[in-house]
Amino acid sequence: PVPGIGYEYVVSTSNVAPTGAGTPTTNTFASLSSLLPQTTYYVFVRSNCTVSDFSAWNGPISFTTACAPITTLPHLEPFNTFLPICWTEADNGDLTAGPATIGTGSWLVDGLGNVGTTGAIRATLDGAIDNDWVVSPEFTIPATGYELKFTAAATQGGLTVAPTTAWESDDSVEVLVTSTGMTNWVPLYTYIDTNVPSNVGSLNVLDLDAYATQTVRFAFRAVEGAANGAAVVDFSVDNLEVRLSPTCPDQTGLAISGVTSTGANTS
């Protein structure tokens, strides 16, 4: 380039060459800010030889931004989009080595308990040796007193009723945590045939004191055992929150009966 003129560059989420002007610079480097996490960007550069004389656009070169740990708590994930930014699916593997394949899996968007078609995430327990993960971004737990809260539901496949063929004894959905990236996962809670959540959703609150001052990820791992029975269970999750435990805990199991025109019984 002619000294004092320099270059123009464009940073875009599209890999199509620009048709207009870019950002002018006389440097051979640029500092980029306000980029979205877990997003692929494409960079195009052209020489600016005179006011009206430019080279063709060169590029693109690409890069994908990472996800910084979430440090501002409370943090609520309502699963209004699938997958939420910085969440990922994964497949196969074990708790020690972590998932074998990152970026693919069988979790998908659905309504909680199959009510509606959006606003929650769902996996189906129906095929022998299924092993499907959905993994959160990292969270920094600042101190003791924090908890992981979410709602889970289990229904008959494709329906809103409780499973009509019983949850099989070798099937499970594990709620996992790790402080070592994507390996050495530890179960915080495991759903099996003896603690199946309600078809309309059951609240679960898990203590995180053991992970105070650590940076952790969470995962839900749906596992179909080697014995492939007749059960087809849709397991869904909604409203995952990492928060400081409230002084008065959330109430669950509220029942209302004996409703008349003048009163009702609650317990």
Side-chain angles (χ1 to χ4, degrees):
V2 175
I5 302 297
Y7 307 93
E8 287 188 352
Y9 67 91
V10 169
V11 180
S12 173
T13 55
S14 169
N15 63 355
V16 177
T19 57
T23 301
T25 179
T26 57
N27 297 317
T28 56
F29 62 89
S31 296
L32 307 178
S33 61
S34 301
L35 301 180
L36 296 173
Q38 204 174 26
T39 302
T40 299
Y41 288 92
Y42 301 89
V43 180
F44 299 86
V45 178
R46 68 178 181 179
S47 296
N48 182 355
C49 299
T50 68
V51 172
S52 59
D53 186 12
F54 298 90
S55 73
W57 285 104
N58 292 286
I61 59 171
S62 64
F63 63 92
T64 301
T65 51
C67 290
I70 294 170
T71 58
T72 302
L73 302 177
H75 179 89
L76 172 66
E77 177 49 66
F79 298 110
N80 289 336
T81 60
F82 184 87
L83 275 166
I85 193 165
C86 294
W87 286 70
T88 187
E89 289 190 89
D91 196 33
N92 296 322
D94 57 41
L95 299 188
T96 300
T101 304
I102 306 296
T104 61
S106 297
W107 287 82
L108 47 77
V109 61
D110 204 349
L112 182 70
N114 282 331
V115 176
T117 58
T118 61
I121 57 173
R122 171 176 63 80
T124 300
L125 298 169
D126 66 343
I129 63 174
D130 281 349
N131 183 354
D132 295 295
W133 308 56
V134 63
V135 182
S136 80
E138 292 182 313
F139 292 85
T140 298
I141 311 302
T144 58
Y146 282 78
E147 65 187 22
L148 175 67
K149 173 189 172 186
F150 60 91
T151 300
T155 66
Q156 180 65 21
L159 302 176
T160 59
V161 299
T164 55
T165 301
W167 182 303
E168 296 163 17
S169 61
D170 63 344
D171 295 352
S172 63
V173 176
E174 299 166 322
V175 186
L176 306 172
V177 63
T178 182
S179 58
T180 58
M182 292 289 280
T183 61
N184 301 310
W185 294 88
V186 177
L188 286 172
Y189 191 86
T190 302
Y191 293 94
I192 56 175
D193 59 330
T194 58
N195 61 347
V196 178
S198 165
N199 61 301
V200 297
S202 299
L203 184 67
N204 200 341
V205 179
L206 305 175
D207 183 81
L208 297 177
D209 279 356
Y211 299 93
T213 73
Q214 298 183 46
T215 296
V216 300
R217 294 183 193 272
F218 304 104
F220 293 89
R221 180 185 182 225
V223 178
E224 172 86 15
N228 186 16
V232 179
V233 177
D234 285 342
F235 186 95
S236 51
V237 178
D238 196 9
N239 291 330
L240 180 141
E241 186 175 12
V242 180
R243 67 175 189 175
L244 188 65
S245 299
T247 302
C248 294
D250 295 323
Q251 299 303 298
T252 62
L254 178 65
I256 301 176
S257 62
V259 180
T260 69
S261 60
T262 58
N265 300 319
T266 66
S267 63

